[in-house]
Amino acid sequence: MDKEPPPLPVPKAPPAPKPPPPDRTLNTINGILNGLEALGRFKKWLDTPDPPKPPKAPPVKKDYMAVPPFDIQEIPGAMRKEHMPVGAKLMERWFNGRLNYSPDGSEVNQDGKPFAPDMYETGAVTLDWVLKFGRAKEACDYLVNIAIRSPEAIDALGNMLVPYKGMSGLYTDHIVKKDPRELHRLFQFASVRVGGTLADSVALQLRTQTQNFNRPDDLTGALGSFNLYAAVGHVRFSANFVNGERMSDTRIAELTGIWVYVKDNYTFSDASNAAQYLGHWSNGGVIVPVHGAMSASYVQSPVTIGSPTSKGNVHYPIHNSDFQQWAQKHKRGGDFVVYTDHRFVPINPPIQLYLRGDVAGEQVAGSEGTPGNNQAQNKQFKAVVRALGLDKYQARQLHEEISKQGLGYHEMLQRGQDMFGDGND
């Protein structure tokens, strides 16, 4: 930890102005004077006796039992040896940055100022690279096929779309101008978590606990645990017709495409008082125990593989707090936010919602089966009532008809159409 950090980038200085042309006469006089002075110094050197030779210093005895030192700035090099080039690149960015951290996990730094634009990294990690890892691909599939249709996501989506319901279509890239921060701020509505602690990630990565020591992959080294996000991509808006009559107070929104991306805060802050364990590191690599081999004493003690006097054989436990202490000592270490590129994913069948006034309606497409709770089921029933344009007496009749039958949205809609005529879903 005593090793000095790399120097901050220095802005280029403007070129110095050209000096005026020399005075030839003055140069000739200065040349004569300089020659005489040099001749005097040479004569003095000839007349000066040689100084006595200093005694030879005794040879330094090598301590063959000494343990070579280790500095956390050696970790990026060790990561490359462990085939984690993306993780190494991100950690070097952190070491090279000026001091920047958020006391509360937001994007406001220690001085109460929003993160500067250069504290957003948008080119180091790509979504294609992330999805090469099986656990990330599984999470992405869950996000696209299930999470975006959850009651919480539908509520967020509906409230988000109300201001745009007067449009015929919404393509969010035209609004955010390919700015990932604006896309996330304005249109993100669902997310899925990937990974947990470092040990959790290793256990998930290996799908087994048959070994005591394992090594994380580059995804864990780069992002640890992170979120995959879904944001609105494209929406079609249309009028709502019930029994051939246009409902002037209601518009139908159909989400036909989303943007998928990763956003992750690269930080060594801890969410709790306990410092997060990041593995045992040396300049030669890392070892991480899975849960069966982990204990409180283990994550505080060095581990030696081979002779401790050989560089790289002693692995030291590293925690978030080590990076925090380094940052405070050297006034360096810049937390930053990682965004991948965002990928457009078509949604089929589209998610269909009713938007009324300033309030979002309910999801009416892709809602087969009974919702998991009474609140969600009531929302689907209200959506059926709105879709068929039922008055309160008809709604009561329908409710009595379907009560306690465990019907999903489309089943309730079909029953209502049988009772009161065709509606438009």
Side-chain angles (χ1 to χ4, degrees), residues 267-307:
T267 177
F268 293 101
S269 299
D270 287 303
S272 64
N273 292 330
Q276 183 180 343
Y277 168 69
L278 302 176
H280 275 65
W281 288 88
S282 74
N283 76 314
V286 61
I287 54 176
V288 181
V290 292
H291 289 294
M294 184 178 289
S295 66
S297 60
Y298 174 84
V299 299
Q300 299 296 334
S301 305
V303 172
T304 301
I305 301 177
S307 171

Side-chain angles (χ1 to χ4, degrees), residues 8-316:
L8 285 169
V10 178
K12 293 183 179 180
K18 292 183 178 180
D23 186 321
R24 293 183 178 179
T25 303
L26 183 60
N27 280 352
T28 301
I29 296 173
N30 286 338
I32 294 172
L33 294 175
N34 289 338
L36 293 173
E37 184 180 350
L39 182 61
R41 288 198 303 270
F42 178 70
K43 185 176 184 304
K44 183 179 180 181
W45 175 77
L46 288 176
D47 297 337
T48 303
D50 294 336
K53 293 182 179 180
K56 291 184 178 180
V60 178
K61 292 184 179 180
K62 183 177 180 180
D63 185 356
Y64 291 96
M65 299 303 294
V67 177
F70 173 71
D71 191 278
I72 61 172
Q73 291 184 77
E74 297 178 63
I75 292 180
M79 296 178 84
R80 289 191 169 87
K81 293 178 182 178
E82 295 284 12
H83 308 289
M84 292 189 278
V86 177
K89 183 177 181 180
L90 294 180
M91 186 175 287
E92 285 173 341
R93 188 194 198 285
W94 187 87
F95 277 123
N96 291 333
R98 63 186 180 279
L99 185 64
N100 185 72
Y101 64 91
S102 174
D104 58 3
S106 67
E107 293 172 27
V108 176
N109 69 13
Q110 69 277 9
D111 298 322
K113 298 179 180 179
F115 278 16
D118 63 337
M119 292 301 170
Y120 291 87
E121 175 59 63
T122 59
V125 184
T126 67
L127 188 60
D128 278 344
W129 177 80
V130 171
L131 297 183
K132 288 180 180 178
F133 297 87
R135 61 191 183 279
K137 182 64 168 63
E138 289 178 11
C140 186
D141 291 342
Y142 181 85
L143 174 67
V144 171
N145 296 317
I146 298 176
I148 62 172
R149 299 181 187 272
S150 70
E152 296 80 10
I154 296 303
D155 284 347
L157 181 62
N159 293 328
M160 190 178 294
L161 294 180
V162 165
Y164 305 97
K165 67 187 179 74
M167 304 170 64
S168 61
L170 171 65
Y171 188 61
T172 55
D173 229 19
H174 293 163
I175 295 176
V176 302
K177 308 298 184 186
K178 299 187 182 298
D179 184 339
R181 289 178 292 172
E182 284 298 284
L183 179 70
H184 186 79
R185 184 178 69 86
L186 294 175
F187 295 111
Q188 180 270 322
F189 70 96
S191 65
V192 170
R193 190 73 171 165
V194 181
T197 64
L198 182 62
D200 291 335
S201 298
V202 172
L204 179 64
Q205 169 191 330
L206 298 173
R207 304 289 186 177
T208 180
Q209 294 190 6
T210 58
Q211 302 175 16
N212 283 333
F213 295 103
N214 302 286
R215 287 165 172 78
D217 58 21
D218 200 9
L219 183 62
T220 299
L223 301 179
S225 57
F226 61 94
N227 284 344
L228 277 159
Y229 290 95
V232 175
H234 180 258
V235 182
R236 288 195 304 257
F237 296 97
S238 60
N240 178 31
F241 288 88
V242 176
N243 295 327
E245 180 181 353
R246 178 171 179 169
M247 310 301 292
S248 60
D249 62 340
T250 308
R251 295 275 286 172
I252 296 176
E254 291 181 289
L255 179 70
T256 62
I258 61 173
W259 294 111
V260 175
Y261 58 96
V262 170
K263 173 182 179 284
D264 184 56
N265 284 14
Y266 194 95
T267 177
F268 293 101
S269 299
D270 287 303
S272 64
N273 292 330
Q276 183 180 343
Y277 168 69
L278 302 176
H280 275 65
W281 288 88
S282 74
N283 76 314
V286 61
I287 54 176
V288 181
V290 292
H291 289 294
M294 184 178 289
S295 66
S297 60
Y298 174 84
V299 299
Q300 299 296 334
S301 305
V303 172
T304 301
I305 301 177
S307 171
T309 60
S310 296
K311 180 74 171 175
N313 284 356
V314 179
H315 294 70
Y316 295 89

